[in-house]
Amino acid sequence: SLKIIITNVGKTINTFFPEYAPVISADGQMMVFTSRRPVTEKEIKKNKKSMENVYLSFYDGKKKKWIEAKRLSDSINQPFRHNSAIALSNDGQRMLLYRDDENGNGDIWESILRGENWSEPVKLPEPINSDVHESSASISPDGKTIYFCSNRNGGIGGRDIWFCRQDNNGKWDQAQNLGSTVNTTEDEEGIFIHPDGK
C-alpha cells in the first residue's frame, strides 16, 4: 500500500474563495490556476466572488513553497467573462484558456509567452472550436495534437473527449472522437496528457 500525504499549498495560492483547475509546467516551476476571488473594488468591498480569472505563481525551491499568486493582465482575463487556464505546453510557452461567450457556450483560446508576458489570446479555429461548448483541453508533447472536451454532435455521450492533429502546414485536421474506450454516455472532463506522451 502507498502512504499518501495531502498538504494544503497555503495562503499564497488559496483564499476563502474557490481556487481550482491548477496546471503545472513540465519542470514543476510554474502554476497557472483559476480563482473566483474578488477583483473589482465593489467585489472586494462586499467580499463577493468574482468571475473566473487566471492567476500565476512560481515555485521557490529554496523556501520550498509557491510564491504569492498574481492575477494575469486583462488581455488574458477579459472583463465580464469567465476565463480559465486549462493547459500548458511541455515547454511552458503556450497556454490554452477557456473563455465563455454571450450565449453561455465556451471556446478554447491560445496565448503565447513572449519574454515575461502572455500574448493577447487567439480563439482556436474550427474544427477545434464549434458553435457548441468546448471546455478543458491538453496539448501533446510535440504540440501537434490538442485533446479537448466538446458536446458536439457525433459523440457517444454528453461531453466527450475529441482530438485534432495539426499538419506540417499548421492546418488542423478534422476532429476525431476518442471512442468508447475512453468516452461514455456520461460527461467526460478534465483532460491531461502527461509530458512523456503516454
Side-chain angles (χ1 to χ4, degrees):
S1 61
L2 282 174
K3 184 177 180 181
I4 305 295
I5 299 170
I6 299 173
T7 306
N8 191 299
V9 295
K11 293 180 179 179
T12 57
I13 301 291
N14 292 316
T15 66
F16 172 78
F17 297 89
E19 277 79 36
Y20 45 89
V23 181
I24 297 176
S25 59
D27 64 6
Q29 299 302 299
M30 179 174 69
M31 181 198 303
V32 288
F33 64 94
T34 304
S35 178
R36 298 291 304 271
R37 65 189 70 176
V39 172
T40 67
E41 285 184 25
K42 186 177 180 181
E43 289 167 348
I44 293 167
K45 189 175 181 180
K46 292 188 173 184
N47 204 29
K48 179 186 173 188
K49 81 179 164 184
S50 185
M51 304 288 279
E52 292 178 330
N53 281 280
V54 179
Y55 287 77
L56 173 69
S57 177
F58 293 96
Y59 190 72
D60 186 330
K62 289 182 180 177
K63 295 182 179 178
K64 299 198 180 303
K65 67 176 187 177
W66 294 95
I67 66 169
E68 193 76 34
K70 303 290 183 190
R71 180 180 174 272
L72 292 179
S73 69
D74 281 354
S75 64
I76 298 295
N77 291 308
Q78 188 178 57
F80 311 112
R81 290 271 170 261
H82 286 296
N83 308 277
S84 181
I86 53 177
L88 283 171
S89 61
N90 254 13
D91 60 8
Q93 301 299 298
R94 295 167 67 193
M95 176 168 54
L96 297 185
L97 302 148
Y98 165 84
R99 186 177 283 171
D100 69 346
D101 62 21
E102 304 84 13
N103 303 316
N105 288 320
D107 286 310
I108 300 167
W109 297 64
E110 182 179 42
S111 176
I112 307 297
L113 185 61
R114 296 200 170 103
E116 295 181 358
N117 299 309
W118 291 96
S119 69
E120 184 81 32
V122 173
K123 186 176 172 179
L124 290 178
E126 291 184 2
I128 296 172
N129 284 313
S130 69
D131 58 0
V132 294
H133 192 272
E134 280 74 41
S135 53
S136 61
S138 190
I139 308 171
S140 65
D142 65 1
K144 297 287 189 182
T145 305
I146 290 182
Y147 299 86
F148 61 95
C149 285
S150 178
N151 61 352
R152 65 187 61 194
N153 290 332
I156 293 168
R159 290 184 187 164
D160 277 1
I161 300 173
W162 299 71
F163 70 94
C164 280
R165 289 199 175 99
Q166 193 176 42
D167 65 23
N168 292 332
N169 298 316
K171 184 181 177 184
W172 293 100
D173 292 336
Q174 284 301 112
Q176 298 180 57
N177 190 287
L178 271 186
S180 60
T181 54
V182 173
N183 291 314
T184 68
T185 55
E186 306 301 325
D187 288 334
E188 274 67 50
E189 195 65 85
I191 309 160
F192 174 72
I193 301 299
H194 195 273
D196 67 7
K198 296 181 180 179

